[in-house]
Amino acid sequence: MSCSRRNFLTGAGAVIFTTGVAGTAVLNSRKTLANVEQDGNKLYGMIHDETACIGCTACTDACRDVNKVPEGVSRLEIIRSEPMGEHPDVEYRFTRKSCQHCENAPCVMVCPTGAAYKDEKTGIVDVHKDKCVGCGYCLAACPYQVRFFNPADGSADKCNFCRDTNLAQGKLPACVESCPTKALVFGDLNDPSSEINAVLNNQVVYRDKVHLGTKPKLYKIPKQKGEV
Ligand code: SF4
Ligand code: SF4
Ligand code: SF4
């Protein structure tokens, strides 16, 4: 199938296919989003448009700066693929590795102290640093391998959509603000008029490891050389 058939495919509902990135992927429509609505609450999610991403890592730098993430660990990585095509016609695919803010979050389920939790007003999965005892269960349970121990305080850490920094100041997440190509879209999946829903309704997207039942809220627009 080709990218030019996006509208037909998204209108058809959820279609499963396999990508070369990580696990099973799903094409989503508004029909699937309607299933995750929560009364009155926001449900924040993000899209990484791999077709627009140039791998500049401005987003990772901004995240580190705004959230005071120490060197040696990271809340956000941009992973470069193997070369696609043959010299001189070579392209790369850049994909985002960060917390997926799972609706069914394994990290929350295994935490013995309640330090790992999902904020019901926003859908953001976050960490109560004062409750974290450093057992590492959440690091082991996360299928996306995006958690780490913050060397500054020893607590489990990860992306929280800048909940206590940029979001608290009424701004977009730092990664979104900093992206020069507008490859990142952030917004409320419960708001039918949000930009994120507009993009989801008009693009083919996939999510990583959906077969695990985690219901991740990080969507990706796939970049493929030639046919998808
Ligand atoms: S991606 Fe990992 S850290 Fe983030 S909510 Fe899911 S299980 Fe938890
Ligand atoms: S939303 Fe904030 S914490 Fe998450 S990756 Fe982007 S900049 Fe980092
Ligand atoms: S800032 Fe934007 S273009 Fe640069 S690596 Fe991040 S998502 Fe890709």
Side-chain angles (χ1 to χ4, degrees), residues 99-122:
C99 177
Q100 317 276 314
H101 295 280
C102 308
E103 286 190 70
N104 295 330
C107 59
V108 174
M109 294 175 197
V110 300
C111 180
T113 68
Y117 72 103
K118 183 169 72 173
D119 177 44
E120 295 302 329
K121 286 189 165 41
T122 61

Side-chain angles (χ1 to χ4, degrees), residues 16-20 23-25 224:
I16 297 176
F17 71 111
T18 303
T19 74
T24 306
Q224 298 281 354

